[in-house]
Amino acid sequence: MIRHDSLQLIQETVSAYRDYDGLFLDHQQLLHSIELLMLNHAEEEEYEIAAIIKKWHEKFAHAVYFTPDFSY
């Protein structure tokens, strides 16, 4: 149940940053909101939820800051 709750929180947060066409308006603000969500759960000693949110934060951050390496 904890995993489901965590994923639902992530889904709600991500959905708040999508426009009418489904595009993300502000990547930095999205990452900041997910980070705050993670930290709030850590402060409330809900460490399992915070750890799941942290993994998703890392995935989103990697996608936002992705820079392809074209060197061979």
Side-chain angles (χ1 to χ4, degrees):
M1 191 64 155
I2 290 175
R3 181 172 171 79
H4 174 22
D5 293 342
S6 302
L7 294 177
Q8 188 172 11
L9 290 170
I10 292 289
Q11 180 184 18
E12 290 172 3
T13 303
V14 169
S15 294
Y17 286 93
R18 286 191 170 182
D19 67 2
Y20 182 74
D21 296 323
L23 302 173
F24 294 104
L25 300 175
D26 189 351
H27 295 111
Q28 297 291 349
Q29 188 65 31
L30 171 63
L31 287 174
H32 185 68
S33 292
I34 294 173
E35 183 178 12
L36 287 176
L37 183 65
M38 173 188 66
L39 293 174
N40 286 339
H41 284 281
E43 285 180 10
E44 294 174 12
E45 297 183 359
E46 296 173 343
Y47 300 118
E48 291 179 63
I49 293 175
I52 293 169
I53 294 171
K54 181 180 180 188
K55 286 184 179 184
W56 281 99
H57 178 269
E58 291 170 352
K59 289 180 183 185
F60 278 107
H62 179 71
V64 168
Y65 298 119
F66 175 75
T67 53
D69 183 10
F70 293 117
S71 63
Y72 293 98

